[in-house]
Amino acid sequence: MYKFSLKTNEQGLYDITKLVRQAVYDSGRREGLCVVYCPHTTAAITINENADMTVREDIAYGLEKAFPNRAEFNHLEGNSDAHIKSSVLGVSQTLIIDKGELVLGTWQSIFFAEFDPPRNRFFYVKII
Amino acid sequence: MYKFSLKTNEQGLYDITKLVRQAVYDSGRREGLCVVYCPHTTAAITINENADMTVREDIAYGLEKAFPNRAEFNHLEGNSDAHIKSSVLGVSQTLIIDKGELVLGTWQSIFFAEFDPPRNRFFYVKII
Amino acid sequence: MYKFSLKTNEQGLYDITKLVRQAVYDSGRREGLCVVYCPHTTAAITINENADMTVREDIAYGLEKAFPNRAEFNHLEGNSDAHIKSSVLGVSQTLIIDKGELVLGTWQSIFFAEFDPPRNRFFYVKII
């Protein structure tokens, strides 16, 4: 199991593809699965477009509109919206390894999604 | 494959972490993956905060606000909102097993999310 | 790794269960995991009800209401709503194989979810 750290200053999607790909190379696996796991409850892992930076900004904005912080929430920390977004995107993503490479579409990257910044975060990569 | 049952009376998140952890111990696996799978279409599996009970209540409330039951829905059973929430949270979660233990963050638990109660439900755990 | 193609003309959920099941049979695996992976950023893989066609229409409609195309979006292609839905449903689903069969609930099917039609799409199935 590989462990990686990142520091987040703002809400949004942080590209972690290079780190995950490096773990796949280090493992020497030619065929298998790669699980990327976020151990936090106000962040997530997601896969989406890497080419145009506005896509990830629009994703964060669209999620904020769908899951705003509501006055009726009871959680005293005041970050229930971040908890909801974490469950909606999910904390675990499973990727395929084929011929020694992570299988990703042309426009896909893997992102760590931060919904309650700033934080010192980490994530795990497991290859089987 | 392990099979577990639960009875749900209300909409919301039911903590199933102990059952999943027991399956991991029973398997004797030291390294691998653990898949938790919900075979229902109006329920889901999600991972989120276990410490403050209000978090899971706020999650259920926030999902209800984002995905209400709409008059325009055509499904005659009247539970299309529950079907949507099932797809949004997802019916399958993949966790990592490291050194014989389920890898979970400090505040994470695994939940069975019920969106169409009351029901007799079950879920599967597969360890590889 | 198996690769399948489909052509989408409309937004919505396309049933791909037969194709995934065929891959499981072809693999000859009796026990394991089956990962269904979508390499696109405006589509997704989801598991939901197969019996009543109105369910999948209501799912598409409910997602459209929660994640509409917003005037404030900056992505020039104008399909940020489709990118959001892709991340919300997720591009990867992990299923269990038990006794040579894909484990699915009575009412469950596996769907390719198209949010930006028409397109020539494909998806991967990996069995371990």
Side-chain angles (χ1 to χ4, degrees):
Chain A
M1 187 173 72
Y2 300 82
K3 181 178 179 175
F4 297 98
S5 304
L6 74 161
K7 185 159 178 21
T8 61
N9 291 309
E10 293 178 27
Q11 192 162 158
L13 277 58
Y14 295 77
D15 194 339
I16 58 172
T17 312
K18 277 184 188 170
L19 299 169
V20 179
R21 194 168 268 146
Q22 192 58 51
V24 172
Y25 292 152
D26 287 356
S27 77
R29 291 281 310 190
R30 302 290 302 166
E31 304 290 328
L33 300 181
C34 170
V35 174
V36 185
Y37 189 84
C38 163
H40 308 286
T41 59
T42 53
I45 306 293
T46 195
I47 297 162
N48 215 298
E49 183 181 317
N50 53 11
D52 183 350
M53 188 70 191
T54 59
V55 171
R56 66 190 90 161
E57 293 167 358
D58 288 351
I59 291 172
Y61 182 80
L63 291 173
E64 181 61 30
K65 297 300 269 186
F67 310 106
N69 213 348
R70 296 185 184 275
E72 310 94 290
F73 285 156
N74 290 314
H75 183 46
L76 292 178
E77 277 189 71
N79 60 354
S80 287
D81 56 333
H83 285 287
I84 295 170
K85 293 173 191 170
S86 172
S87 271
V88 166
L89 292 203
V91 295
S92 180
Q93 295 291 340
T94 302
L95 294 111
I96 298 169
I97 300 168
D98 188 59
K99 301 187 181 72
E101 295 283 343
L102 209 52
V103 173
L104 283 171
T106 311
W107 308 108
Q108 285 184 328
S109 280
I110 309 166
F111 296 97
F112 184 97
E114 172 62 77
F115 299 121
D116 195 22
R119 300 263 187 171
N120 291 305
R121 299 292 203 180
F122 54 98
F123 64 91
Y124 300 114
V125 175
K126 179 81 176 178
I127 289 156
I128 63 159
Chain B
M1 188 173 70
Y2 301 82
K3 182 177 179 175
F4 298 97
S5 304
L6 74 161
K7 186 161 178 20
T8 62
N9 291 308
E10 293 178 25
Q11 189 162 161
L13 277 58
Y14 295 76
D15 194 338
I16 58 173
T17 313
K18 276 184 188 171
L19 299 168
V20 180
R21 194 168 268 147
Q22 192 58 52
V24 172
Y25 292 152
D26 286 356
S27 76
R29 291 282 310 191
R30 302 290 301 166
E31 307 288 330
L33 299 182
C34 171
V35 173
V36 185
Y37 189 85
C38 164
H40 307 287
T41 59
T42 53
I45 306 292
T46 194
I47 297 163
N48 216 297
E49 183 181 318
N50 53 11
D52 183 351
M53 188 70 191
T54 59
V55 170
R56 66 191 88 162
E57 294 167 0
D58 289 351
I59 291 172
Y61 182 81
L63 291 173
E64 181 60 31
K65 296 300 270 187
F67 309 107
N69 214 346
R70 297 184 184 275
E72 309 94 292
F73 286 156
N74 290 314
H75 183 47
L76 291 177
E77 278 189 71
N79 61 354
S80 286
D81 56 334
H83 285 287
I84 295 170
K85 293 173 191 172
S86 172
S87 272
V88 166
L89 292 204
V91 296
S92 179
Q93 295 291 339
T94 303
L95 293 111
I96 298 169
I97 300 168
D98 188 59
K99 301 186 180 73
E101 295 283 343
L102 210 51
V103 173
L104 283 171
T106 311
W107 307 109
Q108 283 183 330
S109 279
I110 308 164
F111 296 97
F112 184 98
E114 173 61 78
F115 299 122
D116 196 21
R119 300 264 186 170
N120 291 305
R121 298 293 203 178
F122 54 97
F123 64 92
Y124 300 114
V125 176
K126 179 79 176 180
I127 289 156
I128 64 158
Chain C
M1 188 172 70
Y2 300 81
K3 182 177 179 176
F4 297 97
S5 305
L6 73 161
K7 185 160 177 21
T8 62
N9 291 309
E10 293 179 24
Q11 190 161 159
L13 277 59
Y14 295 75
D15 194 339
I16 58 173
T17 312
K18 276 184 189 171
L19 299 170
V20 180
R21 194 169 268 147
Q22 193 57 50
V24 172
Y25 293 152
D26 287 356
S27 76
R29 291 279 312 188
R30 302 291 300 165
E31 306 289 330
L33 300 182
C34 171
V35 173
V36 185
Y37 189 84
C38 164
H40 308 286
T41 59
T42 53
I45 306 293
T46 194
I47 297 163
N48 216 297
E49 184 181 318
N50 52 11
D52 182 351
M53 188 70 190
T54 58
V55 171
R56 66 191 88 162
E57 294 167 0
D58 289 351
I59 291 172
Y61 181 80
L63 290 172
E64 181 60 31
K65 297 300 270 186
F67 309 106
N69 213 346
R70 296 184 184 276
E72 310 94 291
F73 286 156
N74 290 313
H75 183 48
L76 292 177
E77 277 190 69
N79 60 355
S80 287
D81 57 333
H83 285 286
I84 295 171
K85 293 173 191 171
S86 172
S87 271
V88 166
L89 292 203
V91 295
S92 179
Q93 295 291 340
T94 304
L95 293 111
I96 298 169
I97 300 167
D98 188 59
K99 300 186 182 73
E101 293 285 342
L102 209 52
V103 173
L104 283 171
T106 311
W107 308 109
Q108 284 183 327
S109 279
I110 309 165
F111 297 97
F112 184 97
E114 173 61 77
F115 299 122
D116 195 23
R119 299 263 187 172
N120 290 306
R121 299 292 204 179
F122 54 98
F123 64 92
Y124 299 114
V125 176
K126 178 80 177 179
I127 289 156
I128 63 158

